[in-house]
Amino acid sequence: MTEEQLPYKFSFSITYKEYKSLTLAHSKNQLIFIGVFIFVVFIATTWIKSSNFDVMLSKAPIGIILSLVLTFFMWLLTLYKSRRAFETSGILKSEQTLTLSEDGIQMAIETNDSLIPWNEVAKVSESKDLFIIYLTKNQGVLIPRSAVEMARIRPILRSFLDSSKLRIK
């Protein structure tokens, strides 16, 4: 790590679009599971009720449509919850300043200032819109990709974190 790379300081605010992409990415498996589960329950109850394979096959399209419609409503509910969580969270929308240094990640939000040592980072992943620095399974720091220089942040993360913790390109 060269001295000109550290400390790396940048500021940003999270947009709803970025937060929504994170919420949908985290809910993707749950939405798929719900759709498949509803379809399987529909087919199982149809089979138990009629015990006729032809009847079950003729009603399968109804099960597919029903599971797709209910999954679509769950997707809408996820978007609604995401919007409400974003709108009611002052911290998410506020200006954040992060400084990456040898000591860790210095995070400043309005009047709060905290240091996250590198050894407390559980995982770092990258999506289309965000870098997500996970501290626990469900808690982390969101960094918009538009707020950082890719050529600068990736080497810093690679130098301070085990490759097993990195899910970046």
Side-chain angles (χ1 to χ4, degrees):
M1 190 66 37
T2 62
E3 284 187 25
E4 61 192 42
Q5 287 181 308
L6 290 177
Y8 179 35
K9 185 175 184 174
F10 52 94
S11 296
F12 58 90
S13 293
I14 301 293
T15 65
Y16 173 67
K17 178 186 172 206
E18 294 159 342
Y19 185 71
K20 180 178 78 172
S21 74
L22 172 75
T23 304
L24 289 175
H26 276 249
S27 301
K28 180 178 68 171
N29 291 339
Q30 182 182 18
L31 291 171
I32 291 169
F33 174 78
I34 287 171
V36 171
F37 180 76
I38 291 168
F39 178 71
V40 168
V41 167
F42 181 85
I43 294 298
T45 56
T46 304
W47 181 61
I48 290 169
K49 186 176 177 186
S50 70
S51 297
N52 187 340
F53 189 71
D54 291 335
V55 172
M56 187 174 69
L57 282 178
S58 67
K59 292 189 178 183
I62 296 170
I64 292 171
I65 291 169
L66 179 66
S67 63
L68 288 175
V69 166
L70 291 174
T71 302
F72 175 72
F73 282 119
M74 290 300 295
W75 178 75
L76 288 176
L77 182 62
T78 302
L79 289 179
Y80 173 75
K81 286 180 174 181
S82 171
R83 170 64 79 176
R84 283 190 45 111
F86 183 78
E87 293 299 327
T88 58
S89 174
I91 292 175
L92 273 177
K93 295 185 288 186
S94 65
E95 174 94 11
Q96 301 177 37
T97 301
L98 266 57
T99 305
L100 306 180
S101 68
E102 292 179 1
D103 297 329
I105 303 166
Q106 186 76 32
M107 186 172 173
I109 303 172
E110 293 176 358
T111 58
N112 295 332
D113 196 12
S114 61
L115 175 67
I116 303 164
W118 291 111
N119 63 352
E120 289 186 19
V121 173
K123 174 176 82 168
V124 176
S125 67
E126 180 179 3
S127 71
K128 184 181 94 175
D129 298 319
L130 297 166
F131 276 100
I132 307 146
I133 301 175
Y134 289 96
L135 306 176
T136 64
K137 184 177 179 180
N138 294 320
Q139 183 183 33
V141 178
L142 306 177
I143 303 171
R145 287 174 52 119
S146 59
V148 296
E149 299 171 38
M150 298 301 153
R152 194 160 176 201
I153 194 168
R154 285 187 180 118
I156 293 171
L157 293 172
R158 285 187 179 111
S159 66
F160 290 109
L161 298 170
D162 287 342
S163 60
S164 63
K165 293 182 176 185
L166 296 174
R167 310 276 190 286
I168 60 175
K169 299 172 188 166

